[in-house]
Amino acid sequence: MGDARALQPRYLKAVAASLLMLAVTGGLSACGEEKRPAPPYPAVEWQGAAPSEAIEADPWVVAARKSLEAQAVAQNIADFTLPELVETTGLELRVRLSRVPLNDVTQKRRPDIRPGPDPFLPMKVQPGPVPGTAEVHGCLVRWASETGDVPDQLSASGVMFRMEQLAEGQQRISSVVTLPDLDCSTAAPPIALFVPAPEPSDATDAEDVVRAKRTDIDPL
């Protein structure tokens, strides 16, 4: 009985030490999972006059442009949990976008960056198949490179943005559909660039990419 009592304090100390080690290890692990601080959200400057056609005032077009801007910023910093991206872009599209830099680093390539939002020329807005949705048709230039330089020639192609409006009022691009029959051969989408210009990506590993995940505003 005396031996058991003598061993009890030693046992309790060992348990306490183990719990302390677990807490420290857990804390270090949690710190290791924290993402890098995001740089300041860049400004956007139009090259020439800002687009002023009547269609630009349509709320769905305004929302589409905000999404294109946030998509480009997210790609440039490899963080697909940005609040600006979540507010303007549906979960399925965010997940698809995050796979691009993941594939790049997996194949030992430096992820591309964009000098600004993908240039877009809206041409038509129409209601979607269900209430609270819309479709924005137009010509889009997809630009991206390792250096983020503006290409000498811009080639646009037809796209349709499927748009959704959430219960809280946010309007977002939920998906993108290619429109091969939309003639964009003479289209000249307006160009806007990020200020400051983005730096080449420093993502070299899958852990450097902050993947998209479901948030409270994403419909179940």
Side-chain angles (χ1 to χ4, degrees), residues 191-220:
I191 294 176
L193 300 179
F194 289 133
V195 180
E199 298 287 338
S201 175
D202 61 356
T204 58
D205 188 88
E207 293 182 358
D208 296 329
V209 179
V210 184
R211 309 184 190 197
K213 59 184 178 182
R214 183 177 297 280
T215 69
D216 292 341
I217 70 171
D218 292 311
L220 296 175

Side-chain angles (χ1 to χ4, degrees), residues 177-198:
V177 178
T178 301
L179 298 179
D181 295 333
L182 181 59
D183 183 11
C184 294
S185 58
T186 60
I191 294 176
L193 300 179
F194 289 133
V195 180

Side-chain angles (χ1 to χ4, degrees), residues 4 17 27 59 83 94 96 98 101 106 166 171-172 196 207 211 213:
R94 301 198 309 270
R96 186 167 66 82
S98 68
T106 299
L166 305 183
Q171 292 176 318
R172 312 193 299 182
E207 293 182 358
R211 309 184 190 197
K213 59 184 178 182

Side-chain angles (χ1 to χ4, degrees), residues 57-201:
D58 188 290
W60 293 110
V61 173
V62 173
R65 287 208 180 280
K66 288 181 179 178
S67 177
L68 290 173
E69 179 182 316
Q71 289 178 42
V73 174
Q75 176 173 332
N76 289 347
I77 65 174
D79 185 347
F80 297 89
T81 63
L82 284 179
E84 293 86 353
L85 184 68
V86 173
E87 289 280 335
T88 61
T89 311
L91 176 61
E92 182 179 342
L93 182 53
R94 301 198 309 270
V95 169
R96 186 167 66 82
L97 292 169
S98 68
R99 291 184 184 134
V100 177
L102 282 171
N103 290 338
D104 286 337
V105 296
T106 299
Q107 298 178 31
K108 307 303 180 184
R109 295 194 304 260
R110 173 179 283 180
D112 286 343
I113 60 174
R114 306 183 194 183
D118 284 348
F120 177 60
L121 181 66
M123 303 179 74
K124 180 175 68 173
V125 180
Q126 65 185 33
V130 298
T133 65
E135 298 172 351
V136 177
H137 298 232
C139 295
L140 181 72
V141 174
R142 301 187 185 279
W143 61 3
S145 67
E146 284 192 3
T147 59
D149 295 331
V150 177
D152 294 331
Q153 294 185 336
L154 302 179
S155 178
S157 56
V159 298
M160 176 182 72
F161 297 140
R162 289 199 175 106
M163 312 289 297
E164 63 182 0
Q165 180 164 330
L166 305 183
E168 294 80 5
Q170 297 97 332
Q171 292 176 318
R172 312 193 299 182
I173 296 179
S174 57
S175 63
V176 183
V177 178
T178 301
L179 298 179
D181 295 333
L182 181 59
D183 183 11
C184 294
S185 58
T186 60
I191 294 176
L193 300 179
F194 289 133
V195 180
E199 298 287 338
S201 175

